[in-house]
Amino acid sequence: MRRYIIIHGICLIITGSIDYLFDINIPSDVVNTLFSVTGIMFSVGMGLVVTPTFYDIPDKRIQNRIRETKKDIRSAFIVAFSIPTILYILDSILFRNESGYTRFSLPVMIAQILTVIFFIQENKNLQTFYDDINDEVSKCKSKNNDINA
């Protein structure tokens, strides 16, 4: 997560400078659409984080580790979504002109794209995490069945 925030900060400084120096105007429709995509990716990711339960894992220590990992992932998703959301709101309120363009749109657009990439990567990691958990549960169940047989 720290790496994500650092990359975001560096990109914001670079794109903000480029936007300021070259006066790049991106239509607000593009920024609005990217914000919608970012919101959808956030919703899908949060659904993947919150929905699965692992009550069939007998070891409470492992259950607690899974809960803590899910909390960390949930927090990372919230922080990741907060950055483009705050930038989008600031851009919409402070920098929008009457022609439908915004003054700060390039950094906002880059932040949104980076966040979508982050969500895609984290969703893949989350799926791998859940697959690993299911594999371990299957191993435990097969060991218990072998013992009981």
Side-chain angles (χ1 to χ4, degrees), residues 99-114:
S99 63
Y101 291 91
T102 59
R103 180 69 189 99
F104 195 58
S105 56
L106 182 64
V108 173
M109 186 178 77
I110 297 301
Q112 291 169 339
I113 291 170
L114 288 174

Side-chain angles (χ1 to χ4, degrees), residues 1-146:
M1 188 70 214
R2 179 178 291 156
R3 184 178 74 185
Y4 168 77
I5 292 173
I6 291 170
I7 290 170
H8 241 71
I10 291 169
C11 285
L12 286 175
I13 290 169
I14 292 170
T15 57
S17 300
I18 291 170
D19 193 21
Y20 180 77
L21 292 173
F22 298 107
D23 195 25
I24 297 172
N25 288 316
I26 297 171
S28 59
D29 293 347
V30 173
V31 177
N32 293 340
T33 302
L34 278 172
F35 185 70
S36 296
V37 170
T38 305
I40 291 167
M41 293 297 295
F42 172 72
S43 298
V44 168
M46 286 299 282
L48 290 173
V49 171
V50 175
T51 302
T53 58
F54 299 99
Y55 296 118
D56 54 343
I57 297 175
D59 190 342
K60 293 295 181 191
R61 185 178 53 84
I62 294 173
Q63 278 186 1
N64 289 337
R65 283 182 37 210
I66 292 169
R67 283 188 188 111
E68 288 303 313
T69 302
K70 286 175 65 171
K71 285 179 187 176
D72 291 344
I73 294 168
R74 184 186 65 208
S75 297
F77 270 58
I78 291 169
V79 168
F81 186 61
S82 297
I83 294 170
T85 300
I86 291 168
L87 292 174
Y88 175 78
I89 291 169
L90 288 174
D91 185 48
S92 296
I93 293 171
L94 300 177
F95 299 108
R96 185 159 299 190
N97 62 27
E98 59 280 343
S99 63
Y101 291 91
T102 59
R103 180 69 189 99
F104 195 58
S105 56
L106 182 64
V108 173
M109 186 178 77
I110 297 301
Q112 291 169 339
I113 291 170
L114 288 174
T115 302
V116 168
I117 292 169
F118 172 80
F119 286 146
I120 291 169
Q121 183 62 42
E122 288 304 307
N123 287 343
K124 287 172 50 181
N125 292 342
L126 194 58
Q127 187 59 51
T128 302
F129 173 66
Y130 288 150
D131 289 343
D132 292 345
I133 291 170
N134 287 327
D135 292 344
E136 289 299 316
V137 169
S138 296
K139 284 180 191 176
C140 289
K141 285 183 178 181
S142 69
K143 284 182 185 178
N144 288 340
N145 289 340
D146 292 342

